[in-house]
Amino acid sequence: MTAITNSTTAGTSAFLASQAQAGAIPSATASTTSQSATTAATGAVDTVTLSDRAKAILDKAKADKAATEQLALSFDESLQKRTDALTAKLTDAFKKLNVNLDDAVRLQVDKFGNVTAEGPWKAKIEKYFADNPDVAKELKEISGLNALKAANAALELYNKEKGSSAPGSKQQQTAWSNYNARSMNIQTLSGVISLKDGQLRSAALDYIDSIADPTGAKAGPDLVQQQREVASRLA
């Protein structure tokens, strides 16, 4: 098959050249056609090199597409996606450091992004975050977003507890007092996050969840199990 193709292409080129010399077709056309036939025979392909401007335009288009896809996600979906990614990264890093993940790894990040830990692996974990400031930054941002989510849940609880009571009523005052206390507790717990059972858990969010749903979905009617559920959320 290859021999047939090469023979046919060579014959076509010779025919076009002879026709051009006889004046049957313009020489430029014959030359172009002959060149195309030769390219097809040799398998040569022209290489297109993009200019810097064209590359920049393509890069921006890709970035815009990624940003649009991100905007399509809800707040909860976006937060969960980032949390899952960080969980996987920390789990892998801690395993390499021989940190025992059977127990909860309790972390705390301050407003400057410094991460502290507790327990026998404290030094290893704190060194890891010091050596990986980008991971510490992501932990700080995720902790803050979870605290924001908890604050919003506290506000929803306030609106639910005050109901349609008149301004200044005892019911509204009680609801407002509860809201203030919860808000302060959320602020205190905002930087506390733990890696437990393969999940990153915010203490601020666990705290407000323990109030909004004290029994939990799996606690059942047993009082002891309910107490364990609350303790587990705040561990």
Side-chain angles (χ1 to χ4, degrees):
M1 181 64 71
T2 302
I4 294 174
T5 302
N6 289 340
S7 175
T8 303
T9 302
T12 301
S13 299
F15 172 76
L16 290 172
S18 64
Q19 290 295 93
Q21 290 177 356
I25 57 175
S27 59
T29 303
S31 176
T32 302
T33 307
S34 177
Q35 183 178 4
S36 299
T38 301
T39 300
T42 60
V45 178
D46 291 336
T47 301
V48 178
T49 302
L50 296 176
S51 66
D52 291 340
R53 176 175 172 75
K55 290 178 181 178
I57 291 174
L58 286 176
D59 289 342
K60 185 178 185 305
K62 291 178 181 178
D64 289 343
K65 181 181 178 182
T68 301
E69 292 174 349
Q70 187 67 23
L71 287 173
L73 297 176
S74 68
F75 174 83
D76 286 350
E77 289 172 335
S78 177
L79 178 56
Q80 188 61 54
K81 185 177 179 180
R82 292 178 64 177
T83 301
D84 289 344
L86 183 59
T87 299
K89 181 176 291 187
L90 290 179
T91 299
D92 182 61
F94 290 170
K95 283 182 179 178
K96 291 178 179 178
L97 293 173
N98 294 320
V99 173
N100 184 5
L101 296 178
D102 291 336
D103 299 324
V105 178
R106 188 179 175 89
L107 308 168
Q108 184 160 357
V109 55
D110 63 20
K111 62 181 180 180
F112 301 108
N114 300 313
V115 180
T116 55
E118 299 176 358
W121 303 280
K122 173 181 172 67
K124 287 183 178 181
I125 293 173
E126 291 180 359
K127 185 178 185 304
Y128 168 77
F129 282 105
D131 293 341
N132 297 273
D134 55 324
V135 182
K137 180 182 178 183
E138 181 68 358
L139 181 69
K140 180 178 180 295
E141 291 181 1
I142 287 177
S143 297
L145 291 172
N146 273 290
L148 180 63
K149 186 175 178 180
N152 185 64
L155 181 60
E156 290 178 353
L157 270 177
Y158 163 71
N159 289 326
K160 180 180 179 181
E161 290 174 352
K162 76 179 181 65
S164 57
S165 59
S169 66
K170 184 176 181 180
Q171 181 178 345
Q172 188 182 61
Q173 290 177 358
T174 300
W176 180 251
S177 296
N178 289 339
Y179 172 71
N180 281 331
R182 292 163 185 167
S183 295
M184 288 189 291
N185 289 334
I186 288 171
Q187 181 63 32
T188 300
L189 297 170
S190 61
V192 179
I193 195 164
S194 61
L195 179 61
K196 183 177 182 181
D197 299 330
Q199 293 182 334
L200 275 179
R201 297 174 49 177
S202 163
L205 197 57
D206 280 346
Y207 162 73
I208 200 64
D209 281 349
S210 69
I211 296 172
D213 182 20
T215 61
K218 299 179 181 179
D222 184 11
L223 180 59
V224 174
Q225 185 155 349
Q226 292 176 15
Q227 292 173 343
R228 286 176 179 171
E229 173 70 13
V230 174
S232 175
R233 291 180 178 188
L234 297 175

